[in-house]
């Protein structure tokens, strides 16, 4: 029970910060995003008292977290899903429009 409470507390404190940093750094170079991924892993290992040499994947599994690059993909895909299905604020929908004749011959979502 103590492990669960600790995990919940650390997750509630850390993940929103890393999500915010990910939003801020999203347009930077891949090397900077990799640095953010490394920091995410190291801080998680320290916070949960894991051996610093332990595999990142096993740490993520035990914590119930996704690696940061997968969280990034999940946030982007859910954002696009909400825009396409018009279940987001109207000012987001106006930033995109549909065009036909894309590289695969179907409808494409294109940013203005």
């Amino acid at each position: 029970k103590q492990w669960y409470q600790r995990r919940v507390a650390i997750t509630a404190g850390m993940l929103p910060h890393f999500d915010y940093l990910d939003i801020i750094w999203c347009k930077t170079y891949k090397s900077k995003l990799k640095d953010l991924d490394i920091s995410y892993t190291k801080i998680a290992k320290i916070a949960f008292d894991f051996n610093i040499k332990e595999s990142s994947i096993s740490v993520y599994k035990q914590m119930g977290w996704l690696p940061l690059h997968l969280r990034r993909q999940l946030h982007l895909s859910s954002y696009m899903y909400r825009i396409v299905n018009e279940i987001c604020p109207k000012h987001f929908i106006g930033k995109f429009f549909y065009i036909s004749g894309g590289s695969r011959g179907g409808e494409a979502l294109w940013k203005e």
Side-chain angles (χ1 to χ4, degrees):
K1 183 172 178 163
Q2 184 180 8
W3 164 253
Y4 176 77
Q5 291 172 340
R6 185 175 181 197
R7 187 181 77 168
V8 169
I10 292 172
T11 298
M14 285 179 56
L15 287 184
H17 289 286
F18 277 101
D19 288 341
Y20 183 68
L21 288 172
D22 202 41
I23 291 168
I24 292 172
W25 286 18
C26 71
K27 300 222 183 228
T28 192
Y29 300 109
K30 277 194 169 190
S31 61
K32 292 292 182 187
L33 290 177
K34 188 173 181 179
D35 290 345
L36 184 62
D37 289 343
I38 290 169
S39 300
Y40 174 74
T41 304
K42 284 186 179 180
I43 290 171
K45 287 179 182 180
I46 291 168
F48 287 104
D49 293 328
F50 286 108
N51 184 344
I52 202 72
K53 294 184 180 185
E54 189 165 351
S55 167
S56 301
I57 300 299
S58 65
V59 173
Y60 294 144
K61 283 183 181 178
Q62 290 181 35
M63 293 184 310
W65 290 5
L66 287 173
L68 201 53
H69 69 280
L70 292 179
R71 288 181 63 81
R72 190 176 304 129
Q73 290 175 353
L74 177 66
H75 292 148
L76 181 61
S77 60
S78 65
Y79 174 65
M80 294 307 295
Y81 174 83
R82 284 179 270 161
I83 288 173
V84 168
N85 291 299
E86 298 183 3
I87 51 176
C88 64
K90 297 295 181 198
H91 63 276
F92 287 151
I93 296 169
K95 296 192 181 295
F96 294 88
F97 62 95
Y98 288 99
I99 59 170
S100 62
S103 63
R104 298 190 181 186
E107 291 284 314
L109 193 60
W110 197 260
K111 186 175 181 181
E112 289 182 339

